[in-house]
Amino acid sequence: MPVSKGTSIANSNIAFIKYWGNRDHALRLPATASLSMNLAGLFTRTTVAFDPALDRDVVVLDNAAQSAEALKRVADHLDRVRALAKITTRARVDSQNNFPTGTGIASSASGFAALTVAACAAAGLQLSERELSVLARQGSGSASRSIPGGFVEWQMGTGSDDSFAFSIAAPDHWALVDCIAIVSREHKEVGSTGGHALAHTSPLQQARIEDAPRRLDSCREALLARDFSRLAEIVEEDSTMMHAIMMTSRPPLYYWQAPTLAIMRAVREWRAKGLPACFTIDAGPNVHVITTADHAAEVKNRLGAIPGVQNVLTATPGGGAELVTGQ
Ligand code: PMV
């Protein structure tokens, strides 16, 4: 086999209804369904080259050669692709995030989505969007949601083959903007893989799981109806519920820092006074403030003035993972 290459670009995504906890860790089958918006312009670009001259996989992320756990996680994902393609050839993976490294923006969603699409193309596999989403999910759960475009729902499914994400609305359905307030650039102590494994140790997780269909339906309805106030209430409720699980796990996980809480309070005050804005927070201290395009400049300015906010990135609804052709 000659060297066989594929390149893909995939956007990151922000969950409006969160994924936290697995019912099967090895397969990354989620405990609940989730719903997200792809983030245009916050992407990973990945090239995979299967090369018969290699005796092991080589993984370079943002120009740094990876080893140990980071290398193993990518090599394990390549193994899934190799098994499907019935090949054993090792690969060189070169991956770049276009958002500055260390800004605390999660890169596993865009990273594993881009890796999946690039590796499948390089291996000569022609998979459907659904099959790509199933595969990306096994690398990182939230990566399943970066395969389809726009606003995306990841259904729990009954097993691996039907736990995939699909688009519920195109990027132009609603001109929302995610204003991401960066309050810390440090690497989190416990990443999401470790966090998912702890979720069931919180006595609150069962209640969160039982209530999940209500939150998902409410969020989907608000999104499809472009009803901002309804969206805002459910997005904040869902985010805080996830953090309640994190803070009551054994051991507990506290991701918020003082500026995180200051932003949460400010955003609720702004909304009470008529500004359409709501917060959602992932496994870290940075705050995603969702607003509409008309108010994005105002929200960005206000966030920038809060003590502890280092900078504010913005992203509009983005498309799905794409193969880069002609390289
Ligand atoms: O895909 P993971 O394992 O990095 O999990 C993502 C977890 C959250 O970002 C906290 C929530 C979500 O649904 O994206």
Side-chain angles (χ1 to χ4, degrees):
M1 168 180 170
V3 176
S4 165
K5 264 180 149 186
T7 296
S8 168
I9 290 182
N11 288 318
S12 182
N13 70 71
I14 178 66
F16 292 168
I17 297 295
K18 307 292 190 189
Y19 149 57
W20 196 249
N22 290 316
R23 60 187 205 277
D24 181 318
H25 290 295
L27 284 171
R28 294 182 193 267
L29 291 175
T32 61
S34 55
L35 193 156
S36 58
M37 174 177 110
N38 280 349
L39 301 176
L42 294 179
F43 61 81
T44 304
R45 180 192 171 103
T46 300
T47 297
V48 176
F50 288 102
D51 183 348
L54 292 173
D55 59 6
R56 61 189 173 84
D57 293 319
V58 178
V59 176
V60 180
L61 300 184
D62 287 322
N63 304 318
Q66 303 294 303
S67 57
E69 271 309 298
L71 171 64
K72 185 179 181 310
R73 192 162 168 194
V74 173
D76 286 352
H77 201 59
L78 291 171
D79 283 344
R80 295 182 185 107
V81 175
R82 281 188 281 256
L84 284 174
K86 300 185 173 59
I87 58 171
T88 54
T89 319
R90 302 291 113 180
R92 182 185 163 88
V93 175
D94 208 317
S95 193
Q96 303 270 349
N97 292 321
N98 88 317
F99 36 94
T101 30
T103 47
I105 304 292
S107 56
S108 66
S110 53
F112 278 93
L115 176 67
T116 302
V117 173
C120 286
L125 287 170
Q126 287 184 336
L127 302 188
S128 63
E129 180 185 279
R130 170 177 168 164
E131 290 167 324
L132 288 167
S133 179
V134 163
L135 195 52
R137 187 203 76 227
Q138 295 168 66
S140 183
S142 57
S144 68
R145 298 190 311 241
S146 277
I147 297 285
F151 299 90
V152 171
E153 193 173 317
W154 169 16
Q155 65 179 23
M156 289 177 67
T158 54
S160 188
D161 292 349
D162 62 352
S163 184
F164 65 97
F166 52 90
S167 176
I168 56 169
D172 64 1
H173 166 70
W174 195 359
L176 294 178
V177 178
D178 181 6
C179 299
I180 310 165
I182 308 296
V183 306
S184 168
R185 291 158 190 274
E186 275 167 35
H187 215 71
K188 48 200 174 204
E189 278 166 41
V190 178
S192 44
T193 301
H196 292 301
L198 290 178
H200 75 281
T201 67
S202 164
L204 308 183
Q205 173 73 341
Q206 196 50 39
R208 176 177 169 271
I209 292 173
E210 279 163 22
D211 181 58
R214 177 191 67 86
R215 300 192 308 281
L216 186 77
D217 289 350
S218 178
C219 184
R220 188 196 309 104
E221 283 165 22
L223 184 76
L224 295 179
R226 300 186 193 88
D227 179 341
F228 194 90
S229 16
R230 187 168 178 202
L231 183 83
E233 292 303 323
I234 200 69
V235 164
E236 290 186 354
E237 182 186 343
D238 186 83
S239 168
T240 302
M241 214 183 264
M242 177 181 74
H243 283 270
I245 303 305
M246 293 162 160
M247 290 186 274
T248 52
S249 299
R250 301 180 192 123
L253 302 173
Y254 288 87
Y255 288 110
W256 298 349
Q257 294 178 8
T260 312
L261 200 56
I263 298 167
M264 294 163 74
R265 296 181 73 98
V267 167
R268 290 184 61 80
E269 249 173 61
W270 301 342
R271 188 160 80 254
K273 291 182 182 149
L275 184 69
C278 66
F279 66 77
T280 183
I281 304 157
D282 282 344
N286 300 325
V287 186
H288 293 250
V289 180
I290 311 299
T291 185
T292 58
D294 294 352
H295 297 90
E298 172 74 16
V299 167
K300 191 176 177 188
N301 279 340
R302 290 193 191 191
L303 285 172
I306 296 178
V309 173
Q310 298 172 3
N311 67 316
V312 182
L313 303 173
T314 57
T316 54
E322 282 179 7
L323 202 54
V324 178
T325 49
Q327 50 79 49

